[in-house]
Structures are given as C-alpha cells and as structure tokens.
Amino acid sequence: MEKNVIFCFTGTGNNLKVARDIADKLEGCSIYDMGRTDPGIDVSGCSRVGFVFPVYFLGLPLKVAEFIEGLNIPEGFPGFLYCIASYGNIHGNTVKQADAILQKRGHKLSYAANVKMGDNAITFYNRNNDIEQLTKLYIRKIGSILPMILGKETVPLGMKFRPADLYYSRMIPRVPARGEGYQVLAACTGCGVCAKVCPVDNIGMKDGKPEFGRHCEQCMACIQLCAQKAIDYRGKCAGRNRYKHPDISISDLIKFHSTHEAAVE
C-alpha cells in the first residue's frame, strides 16, 4: 500500500476542502496541519508529498514558508512533490516561491496549481463570494488537478511576475504585528471559538475574552467565524460579509487544529 501525505494550512476551510478532496483519491494519505505540526515529521517512504495553502499578499503565508524550509525531506527523495495554492483574487508567484525554497534544499516541485476559492480578506474589502459560481469553478479545476497528482505528472511552473514579488516583500514582513489591530467588541460572549480556530495558536483567552499575540498570519478565521461578529480590525469589518467554506464546519477546523491531523473519510 502506498504512503502519501498532505501538509495543509487553512483558516476558513478552503484548503482543508482541497486537501480532503485530494486525499480521498490517494491510498494511505494523511493530512497534517502545517500551522501546528512539527516539520521534523518523517516523509521518507512517501510516494507523494503535497502542500496545500492559501495565497497571502500574492505569496506564501509566513508559517507555510517556515514549514517548507524546515520539513525533513531526505536527500535524494524519490517521491512526487506538489503544491496547490488557493486564492481569492490574484495568485501571484506563490507556487514558485514554494519551489524556490525546495530548490535551495536540493528538491523541486514536480507539479503545482492555483485554485480560485472564496475570498476572505475582510479587512481589505467587502467581497461578495458567489458560492454557486465558485463551486462550479472549483469542481472543474479540482477535476483537472486530481489526474495530474494521481499520475505523478510533471508540469513546468512557468515564469515569475516580478511586481508580485515586490508587493509581497513589502507587505509580508508587517504581518505578525498586524495582530495589534484586532478589536474585541461588546458582543463577545467569551465562547473561545476564535482561539480554537486560529491555525497558529495566536489567540489566548484571558478573563473570558480573546487576547491576540504577535505571530498572526492574517488568515481572518477569528473574524470570519465568530458567531456574534464580535471581532473587528481597526473598525473596518462592520457590515462586511463573513465567509467560511460551505463544506467545512467550524467543528472540522477546531478538530483539525487540535489534533494536527484530519481524518480521510
């Protein structure tokens, strides 16, 4: 029996959906939480190693870059390395960034793809996610991706778009400190969901209210998944649409982050 593994980073469920759909078609596939899994995990003997993550600021989330840099891939690893990046607006050079990190370590991606999904950048704009249309686009896209991964097809990654790298290099260093901009409103009931869905454990509870640390990834899960809409960011989110992937429940996300692994159903 084959051994396959997918490393997934997810905030509002988009990438857990992608990882589950891929894992469902593979033998012996485990899904691990990139936000909370030790990158020292052993991948030797794996037939396929996948990375599934969102696009932040036209590039890799900081935690994803850190995880790929630290992943224990043995020298001369013969397995198939691939990545899937989900994006809401523009995908930038994200998959090429992942490949560049791997190449520094003597490896490279054999296959990569970008998938348009629901946009959750609520602190920047009010996005009206057309779930029906996005679902149709996703079904077509994942339908083209799965045979490539199953068949271990190698595809060139294409050229870089330099302005995307410039934007990323300007914006991404500011991300951790952006946690200072979160506001807890009077509607907060102290349920703790925000802390449980944070993929990098950046939120703690003190006196029944959330406190934000300084290693935020800007996944927006805390804002998007609060039932009371009691978390804001510098007064920008009032009246804006909230988003969660329709096929992934809050309990799915909490379980994934608490166990660091998702069951393949």
Side-chain angles (χ1 to χ4, degrees), residues 55 87-90 116 118-129 167 220 224 236-237 240-241:
V55 173
Y87 68 99
N89 192 7
I90 302 173
K116 184 174 178 59
D119 195 330
N120 64 1
I122 191 171
T123 62
F124 287 89
Y125 42 68
N126 186 27
R127 178 69 70 185
N128 181 23
N129 289 303
Y167 178 76
M220 309 299 171
Q224 302 281 12
K236 296 179 178 181
C237 302
R240 291 183 177 178
N241 300 319

Side-chain angles (χ1 to χ4, degrees), residues 88 117-120 127-132 134 241-243:
M117 300 189 81
D119 195 330
N120 64 1
R127 178 69 70 185
N128 181 23
N129 289 303
D130 185 336
I131 300 301
E132 184 177 350
L134 286 169
N241 300 319
R242 266 53 175 180
Y243 173 80

Side-chain angles (χ1 to χ4, degrees), residues 100-193:
I101 293 171
L102 289 168
Q103 289 204 34
K104 287 180 182 178
R105 303 186 53 207
H107 309 287
K108 67 177 182 178
L109 290 172
S110 293
Y111 175 74
N114 300 291
V115 182
K116 184 174 178 59
M117 300 189 81
D119 195 330
N120 64 1
I122 191 171
T123 62
F124 287 89
Y125 42 68
N126 186 27
R127 178 69 70 185
N128 181 23
N129 289 303
D130 185 336
I131 300 301
E132 184 177 350
Q133 178 64 18
L134 286 169
T135 299
K136 289 178 181 178
L137 290 171
Y138 174 75
I139 290 171
R140 287 200 297 268
K141 186 67 175 182
I142 198 70
S144 68
I145 288 171
L146 289 171
M148 304 301 287
I149 295 173
L150 290 169
K152 298 183 180 178
E153 302 291 340
T154 298
V155 177
L157 300 187
M159 300 294 292
K160 271 194 169 187
F161 181 57
R162 181 169 171 73
D165 278 347
L166 295 174
Y167 178 76
Y168 179 82
S169 64
R170 181 168 64 90
M171 297 296 292
I172 204 69
R174 308 176 187 178
V175 167
R178 286 175 66 90
E180 296 177 353
Y182 289 97
Q183 301 164 295
V184 181
L185 307 181
C188 175
T189 63
C191 69
V193 165

